[in-house]
Amino acid sequence: MSVNVSRGVVAVSLMMVLSGCNAGGLGSSLGLSSSDPAAATPAATPAVATDQQAFVQGFCPQISLTDSTAVYRSYVRGKDGDAEQVVFQASLADSTRSCARTDTTLTVNALIQGRLVSGPQGKAGTINLPVRVTVVDGGQEVFNELEQYPVTIADVNTPTQFIYSKAINVPGNISGLARVYIGFEQPKKK
């Protein structure tokens, strides 16, 4: 019976210690009491060259890739739709982001993984991909930019991987409904 009691005491003690890790503030887990004046006063922060200081942002808008804009295919002029006349095909896949906020601005640092494949009519060289970034907050567009992003195909027989990165500055008061859309600007249908 003493073995069962010992296990019970150890289990209860362990639960109390673990629950103590979640109780109180940062100072209590470091052995500082909240009544300690040194614990209540934040440490001096180093001087920053700008008037605004960035801090970690809890909300960071999601990045959305849509099926209609995640792939871009280029054909020889006048030969759209003919598989033998494809110059290249680019696609976007995985994405990640991080955010930082100042008093007035939220900066979304977006990274998108892409792939560029040469088609039957492709040649080695640099290709400018038309990438559009749009930020929508509650149905209202707060950012929209089209960029010609250069990617180089070194060998037409080998797919090229690339990372598209963009720092997007939007108003700091956007809501939790905001979303970042990144995709290729599709050619106009004739």
Side-chain angles (χ1 to χ4, degrees):
M1 180 166 164
S2 67
V3 171
N4 287 338
V5 171
S6 296
R7 287 183 184 164
V9 169
V10 169
V12 170
S13 299
L14 182 59
M15 288 180 10
M16 290 175 64
V17 167
L18 290 176
S19 66
C21 291
N22 293 329
L26 178 63
S28 64
S29 66
L30 297 174
L32 300 173
S33 71
S34 59
S35 62
D36 183 2
T41 306
T45 57
V48 177
T50 64
D51 292 338
Q52 299 176 352
Q53 292 181 351
F55 56 90
V56 175
Q57 170 58 32
F59 166 70
C60 193
Q62 289 186 348
I63 295 175
S64 293
L65 301 173
T66 61
D67 290 341
S68 63
T69 62
V71 176
Y72 183 82
R73 188 173 296 137
S74 176
Y75 295 91
V76 171
R77 186 173 299 238
K79 305 288 184 170
D80 290 5
D82 184 349
E84 291 299 316
Q85 301 301 315
V86 173
V87 178
F88 67 85
Q89 177 174 307
S91 59
L92 300 174
D94 295 328
S95 66
T96 189
R97 83 266 189 226
S98 65
C99 290
R101 183 186 296 264
T102 65
D103 291 338
T104 59
T105 306
L106 175 68
T107 301
V108 181
N109 295 301
L111 295 171
I112 309 287
Q113 177 186 10
R115 181 178 176 156
L116 183 62
V117 178
S118 183
Q121 301 300 319
K123 297 177 182 148
T126 300
I127 295 170
N128 289 319
L129 300 174
V131 179
R132 181 165 299 279
V133 178
T134 306
V135 180
V136 177
D137 183 14
Q140 182 178 4
E141 195 174 277
V142 295
F143 182 90
N144 189 339
E145 184 175 292
L146 177 62
E147 175 182 1
Q148 296 298 321
Y149 187 74
V151 178
T152 301
I153 294 179
D155 179 2
V156 295
N157 297 312
T158 305
T160 301
Q161 302 287 331
F162 65 92
I163 301 289
Y164 174 77
S165 64
K166 180 75 173 171
I168 307 158
N169 292 313
V170 295
N173 62 352
I174 63 171
S175 74
L177 300 175
R179 197 170 283 272
V180 178
Y181 294 94
I182 300 178
F184 295 114
E185 180 81 1
Q186 299 300 316
K188 304 283 190 247
K189 300 280 182 185
K190 294 180 182 177

